[in-house]
Amino acid sequence: MKNKPIPAQIEFRDVTKIYGQVAAVRNLSLTVGRGEFLTILGPSGCGKTTTLMLLAGFEAPNRGDILIAGKSVAAVPSYRRDQGIIFQSYALFPHLTVRRNLEFPLEMRGMRAAERAKRVDRILERVHLDDFGGRLPSQLSGGQQQRVALARALIADPPILLLDEPLGALDRNLREQMQGEIKGLHKEFGITTVCVTHDQEEALTLSDRIIVMRAGRIEQTDTPEALYDRPATRFVASFLGEANILENPGFNVETDAAQPSGTVAMLRPERIWVAAPAAPKRADANNRQSVSGTVDDMIYAGPLRKYHVRVGSSLLVVREPVASGQQIFRPGDEVRLDWLRSDLRFVTV
Ligand code: ATP
């Protein structure tokens, strides 16, 4: 007997959502595998939140269908979809203690008091808030409130977790800490997770796979590393990280392969070496392009320095990790830039 293929946990089939004159989501088809962490990334207004709202059941598509575990959820109301949800604003009940906030979803499911208390204790311990059960949300820091929101989303063991800009309101250190927390919980519970963000670092750090959206459509989808290293379009290259787009750069760009028509060459700033004009060349001679330039600006950013270097009619961005004993260049300095031709990427315009 043949094994039946396991259905994707979540599937969008040609989904369109229109608000008045605006198609917020257009002909969107995507699947999310069981246990996968998928992030939807894109600029403001590209349709990320609408996609999540459709999945959560807070909005209904005009066309197309959404399936969960192989079954259409068109007729399933939001509260029956069995999803843990965290919104950008924590949406904790302000008049209830942390414990009561956590108990609430269990009570709605008719769970008995003793079992509820056990679960609350367990999850509070898991998010390192054992001593905070008696406090009101207003008596917690932003990071602690976000932990409670995470605990509440997970407490009923939902098979799917939806995150809407979950760390948007936190400062950088807390954000990094919470990223680790979310990653750990995802691994531990194996929950299929869909996260919406415009924070590229968050997307790169957390996800198994990223979808980049643009004007209601999917522009590209891939693993974080593949998406960053091999962006298909200029839009993705520039949205995800920084990109030197070598379009009419005012110098000859050497390539090994013929450049496909309708594309431009792109080089990531960290793929360029900066050196004094007479310094030994570092890159492999058979695979190297060297150009001369003048430093326009140097920006110190802790672990790295960013140079803007004028070459031909271009201003190239170079990122160099700060290291002991390295030469530092100042505006006006003549420099040589080296890179590997194999690090050039061709992206469609
Ligand atoms: P942001 O990062 O700013 O939250 P987003 O990518 O999540 O943006 P959406 O909120 O999905 O974008 O909005 C997509 C488009 O649909 C936008 O042009 C927005 O103005 C429009 N839109 C969203 N919700 C509504 C609504 N309820 N009524 C009318 N238009 C809407």
Side-chain angles (χ1 to χ4, degrees), residues 10 52 55-57 68 78-85 109 153 158-162:
I10 298 167
L52 205 69
L55 182 54
I68 294 179
S78 165
Y79 61 90
R80 287 257 163 84
R81 290 198 185 182
D82 218 5
Q83 296 164 332
I85 303 178
R109 284 174 166 77
I160 294 174
L161 182 64
L162 307 182

Side-chain angles (χ1 to χ4, degrees), residues 258-313:
Q259 183 167 336
S261 68
T263 67
V264 285
M266 187 281 290
L267 191 60
R268 292 287 188 198
E270 64 276 16
R271 299 283 179 177
I272 305 176
W273 283 286
V274 57
K281 296 187 177 178
R282 283 199 277 183
D284 168 10
N286 296 321
N287 182 13
R288 176 178 63 212
Q289 173 157 19
S290 297
V291 296
S292 300
T294 311
V295 174
D296 194 76
D297 199 8
M298 187 274 279
I299 300 150
Y300 173 74
L304 60 87
R305 270 192 197 84
K306 204 156 105 171
Y307 291 103
H308 291 161
V309 180
R310 190 157 294 286
V311 182
S313 55

Side-chain angles (χ1 to χ4, degrees), residues 19 22 24 43-50 59 165 198:
Y19 294 111
V22 181
S44 184
C46 71
K48 308 181 290 290
T49 305
T50 303
E59 297 285 357
E165 303 273 2
H198 61 260

Side-chain angles (χ1 to χ4, degrees), residues 244-270:
N244 290 299
I245 303 287
L246 305 177
E247 189 177 29
N248 305 319
F251 63 91
N252 179 38
V253 179
E254 297 167 10
T255 58
D256 290 332
Q259 183 167 336
S261 68
T263 67
V264 285
M266 187 281 290
L267 191 60
R268 292 287 188 198
E270 64 276 16

Side-chain angles (χ1 to χ4, degrees), residues 22-101:
V22 181
V25 170
R26 307 176 200 203
N27 305 103
L28 187 80
S29 291
L30 69 89
T31 57
V32 190
R34 205 168 291 269
E36 190 176 22
F37 196 120
L38 179 90
T39 297
I40 305 175
L41 182 69
S44 184
C46 71
K48 308 181 290 290
T49 305
T50 303
T51 305
L52 205 69
M53 293 293 143
L54 289 166
L55 182 54
F58 297 138
E59 297 285 357
N62 295 83
R63 288 193 295 276
D65 200 4
I66 299 170
L67 292 83
I68 294 179
K71 291 199 184 89
S72 169
V73 289
V76 182
S78 165
Y79 61 90
R80 287 257 163 84
R81 290 198 185 182
D82 218 5
Q83 296 164 332
I85 303 178
I86 304 182
F87 291 110
Q88 188 171 6
S89 51
Y90 317 115
L92 296 174
F93 298 117
H95 57 292
L96 297 183
T97 62
V98 168
R99 274 203 92 83
R100 292 291 301 139
N101 261 285

Side-chain angles (χ1 to χ4, degrees), residues 211-226:
I211 284 180
V212 179
M213 279 187 81
R214 178 187 190 184
R217 295 181 195 279
I218 294 178
E219 178 88 354
Q220 190 179 357
T221 170
D222 217 323
T223 61
E225 200 169 336

